[in-house]
Amino acid sequence: MGIPNNAVAVWFGSEQSDAQYLNLWRNAALTYSADQPIDSEWHVDRYEVVLGKDPSGQLFERAGLLALRNRFYPPHVMVNTSDFQQEDRPVRSGDRILQRIRILSAWERPLLDLLTMNAITEVIDEPRRKGFTYTTTAVHSEQGEWSPCVEWRENGEVVLIIMVISNTRPGASRLARRLTRWLQLRAHRLSIANFKDMLRGYSLHHAPQDEFVPSRVVPAGVLAIATLLFLGMVWN
């Protein structure tokens, strides 16, 4: 199996083969560089969330640990298989991340997933700042980078900052662009909520899933919407 040149759609899949895909596609080329010019077609998103006051540094250390292990997205949004996860350690520059993005689900079961690959291109591990950047590869429907960072400021606040630069890859239809952006903003919102909940000591794993298509419309609307997603987002 060669390296795909886009995200890979998987119907009724599971994570059992994701470690294999991680190794098969790990040499996929990067599709974005921080010094490349961007124009109005690109999205630049910045989120800043105060996680709490921390006089001792304990909150910062826990938040930093979660950040350096990429504990952001809840499993009903995305499931990651990565080099650092397999070795049970924090991220390192050069690590690869295989993402299984949940596109369509019903009754808490995945129907359609997209597989994408990202690479860790920068790691921040400082006394008061911890985070990383990952960059898209050829195995992705978008191009850009995602950069979460936890800061412990002089006023005692622990702050989560996420910077995102992204654009749908050239050739995508208008429908694909709109759907991709909607899914992206939804994922951003849920990742921040999940991170805050994990920091408080629990995850959203058993929370009700925010389904892209509510289960009550299955099977009537599933195939039509899934086909639009598949054609619009993958067959560019």
Side-chain angles (χ1 to χ4, degrees):
M1 178 186 295
I3 297 175
N5 194 37
N6 208 325
V8 176
V10 179
W11 289 92
F12 309 107
S14 71
E15 303 93 72
Q16 294 181 352
S17 300
D18 287 358
Q20 180 182 2
Y21 293 134
L22 177 69
N23 290 323
L24 287 173
W25 301 342
R26 68 170 53 254
N27 293 324
L30 300 181
T31 55
Y32 175 78
S33 172
D35 59 1
Q36 77 180 62
I38 62 174
D39 57 25
S40 60
E41 294 294 319
W42 289 73
H43 301 290
V44 179
D45 301 307
R46 185 180 189 278
Y47 304 90
E48 182 170 323
V49 180
V50 176
L51 301 173
K53 285 277 192 176
D54 186 10
S56 66
Q58 293 183 356
L59 177 64
F60 169 70
E61 288 299 322
R62 174 160 172 74
L65 177 62
L66 289 173
L68 290 178
R69 288 179 175 264
N70 192 27
R71 302 297 298 274
F72 288 93
Y73 292 103
H76 66 275
V77 173
M78 180 188 304
V79 177
N80 293 321
T81 302
S82 63
D83 295 325
F84 55 88
Q85 177 194 53
Q86 292 186 327
E87 297 177 13
D88 192 24
R89 57 167 173 78
V91 299
R92 293 177 188 160
S93 184
D95 283 344
R96 293 285 169 134
I97 306 173
L98 189 285
Q99 297 177 320
R100 178 177 288 271
I101 302 171
R102 304 299 193 189
I103 300 297
L104 190 67
S105 63
W107 296 299
E108 300 187 4
R109 294 181 181 274
L111 301 179
L112 175 63
D113 298 335
L114 282 185
L115 303 183
T116 67
M117 175 78 81
N118 294 310
I120 302 292
T121 51
E122 182 183 6
V123 176
I124 300 170
D125 192 358
E126 302 173 359
R128 285 184 173 265
R129 296 174 67 237
K130 296 183 186 294
F132 64 89
T133 294
Y134 66 54
T135 302
T136 55
T137 73
V139 188
H140 211 297
S141 57
E142 293 184 275
Q143 51 190 350
E145 64 181 21
W146 186 78
S147 305
C149 184
V150 175
E151 294 184 357
W152 184 22
R153 294 178 173 169
E154 293 298 331
N155 64 2
E157 288 182 342
V158 177
V159 181
L160 172 64
I161 300 170
I162 300 178
M163 288 289 300
V164 188
I165 300 174
S166 63
N167 190 16
T168 309
R169 289 177 59 174
S173 67
R174 180 175 296 183
L175 171 64
R177 288 180 177 274
R178 289 180 177 177
L179 286 171
T180 299
R181 183 61 174 163
W182 185 87
L183 289 167
Q184 181 187 55
L185 293 176
R186 169 182 176 268
H188 292 173
R189 172 176 56 83
L190 293 176
S191 71
I192 293 170
N194 187 62
F195 186 86
K196 292 169 65 178
D197 282 338
M198 293 198 71
L199 191 61
R200 288 195 293 266
Y202 63 93
S203 76
L204 294 180
H205 182 74
H206 297 296
Q209 296 188 7
D210 186 3
E211 296 177 329
F212 181 66
V213 179
S215 58
R216 65 178 178 273
V217 305
V218 179
V222 166
L223 293 180
I225 295 176
T227 301
L228 285 174
L229 283 165
F230 186 79
L231 295 176
M233 298 180 66
V234 181
W235 288 0
N236 296 325

